[in-house]
Amino acid sequence: MPPTDVTSLIRTELPRLAGSLRKVGELILADPAAVTHSSAAELGRRTGTSQATVTRFCRAIGLDSYQHLLIELAQERGRGEVSDWGSAEIGPEISPDDGLERVVTVVGSADLRAVQQTIDRIDLDALERAAQAVARARRIDVYGVGGSGAVAQETETRLFRIGCSVRGWNEVHGAATSAALLTPADVAIGISHSGATRETIEPFELAKERGATTVALTSDPRSPLARAADIRLISATSETSFRTGSIGGRHSVLVLIDCLYVRVAQLSYQRASASLALTDHITPQHTVKNRRTR
């Protein structure tokens, strides 16, 4: 796996694990340093499970073996010793009594790690295929509700500015109606942190049935949304106290959107440049000029 924090990966995957697998993940997060000195059998005993369960846990989070987990934990600890912001000593917990400096440090550290993890994990081939499809699309639908609805609207704003025929949908009836009118010449982008939001999956699957190229942006590569997609772009999350995965992962998704947007602009350079030239004057025209006071 890329050089990213395995403990952050475990935090991302933990809500999707159940029973004995979840117990293993919780113990690792509680004391990652101690785990580096334990065998798989010892860890199984400490969690009241088994060596086989520990091995299954490693595979469930995308690692080849328990040895792979130990290597990742050791590397993470080493990175933490040379980076203040990436320090393994900075956990995601914020108590009601913590000062503002601690809040800023925890939130900033979590967001920076999540963004870096997302960049490290980007499947460049998938990103290129998504950009190629969007650049040549007759029409682009973007589906997302709740927090992902805000990201869908941001995606619409960016692509619309460079001349794409795009619409962001955050209401399932309108999204489904639009999806039913798509063709193989079109693209549908589904955005969901969990990848399991029914209101996003429903129009997304309908768009696929209509022959549109489907692109999923999610933190779970095994989610229903990801499985329904032709192309998958995976984001990391940055949970802290008071911030769930969907809120904590917003910056990571926007990094993916930015990369997609810029690549589409490159691929449709003449159209994008012309569109930007025709609209660049609008924002300055609506800027209130400061008045000098005597």
Side-chain angles (χ1 to χ4, degrees):
M1 64 183 293
T4 57
D5 289 350
V6 70
T7 52
S8 295
L9 173 62
I10 293 171
R11 288 190 188 97
T12 299
E13 296 293 332
L14 202 61
R16 293 186 277 273
L17 302 177
S20 57
L21 296 183
R22 190 182 183 94
K23 288 181 181 179
V24 174
E26 288 173 342
L27 190 143
I28 294 171
L29 291 177
D31 195 355
V35 171
T36 59
H37 302 291
S38 301
S39 67
E42 289 170 338
L43 183 56
R45 284 194 297 272
R46 290 176 61 190
T47 55
T49 60
S50 66
Q51 180 175 342
T53 300
V54 173
T55 300
R56 284 196 296 116
F57 168 81
C58 295
R59 291 174 180 165
I61 65 170
L63 302 180
D64 298 330
S65 63
Y66 182 65
Q67 188 64 29
H68 192 175
L69 172 66
L70 295 180
I71 292 171
E72 292 296 333
L73 287 171
Q75 290 179 342
E76 177 178 332
R77 190 175 183 183
R79 288 194 297 271
E81 291 173 355
V82 297
S83 171
D84 290 334
W85 280 99
S87 174
E89 300 301 318
I90 302 175
E93 292 78 24
I94 301 171
S95 77
D97 299 323
D98 281 337
L100 183 57
E101 182 177 358
R102 164 72 179 175
V103 171
V104 172
T105 299
V106 170
V107 172
S109 176
D111 284 345
L112 286 172
R113 281 199 303 267
V115 168
Q116 187 60 57
Q117 288 167 15
T118 298
I119 293 170
D120 289 341
R121 296 176 189 173
I122 287 179
D123 182 335
L124 295 179
D125 177 67
L127 181 62
E128 178 67 17
R129 289 189 291 125
Q132 292 278 356
V134 169
R136 64 173 179 263
R138 178 187 69 100
R139 205 176 101 203
I140 305 152
D141 270 5
V142 189
Y143 312 128
V145 298
S148 294
V151 179
Q153 293 301 315
E154 182 67 24
T155 305
E156 176 193 291
T157 298
R158 297 185 191 204
L159 293 177
F160 184 71
R161 183 82 190 279
I162 56 173
C164 294
S165 178
V166 56
R167 175 73 182 270
W169 298 94
N170 54 27
E171 186 275 320
V172 67
H173 291 170
T177 300
S178 184
L181 299 175
L182 295 182
T183 72
D186 303 321
V187 170
I189 300 174
I191 303 173
S192 170
H193 171 73
S194 67
T197 306
R198 186 180 65 184
E199 291 84 355
T200 299
I201 294 171
E202 181 180 327
F204 192 73
E205 290 181 336
L206 181 54
K208 186 177 182 67
E209 290 175 9
R210 294 292 300 153
T213 300
T214 50
V215 181
L217 276 74
T218 179
S219 69
D220 187 355
R222 297 177 294 277
S223 65
L225 185 72
R227 291 198 301 268
D230 297 311
I231 303 169
R232 288 166 287 279
L233 298 175
I234 307 302
S235 63
T237 190
S238 57
E239 292 187 6
T240 67
S241 300
F242 311 110
R243 300 198 313 171
T244 61
S246 58
I247 295 175
R250 196 82 47 85
H251 296 295
S252 300
V253 179
L254 287 173
V255 166
L256 290 175
I257 295 298
D258 260 345
C259 292
L260 179 66
Y261 159 76
V262 172
R263 185 57 175 158
V264 170
Q266 285 183 305
L267 294 172
S268 56
Y269 181 77
Q270 289 186 335
R271 181 186 68 190
S273 298
S275 298
L276 290 171
L278 289 169
T279 58
D280 272 346
H281 68 285
I282 295 174
T283 299
Q285 281 185 346
H286 290 82
T287 300
V288 177
K289 294 180 174 59
N290 291 328
R291 295 181 178 180
R292 292 184 178 180
T293 57
R294 295 181 180 179

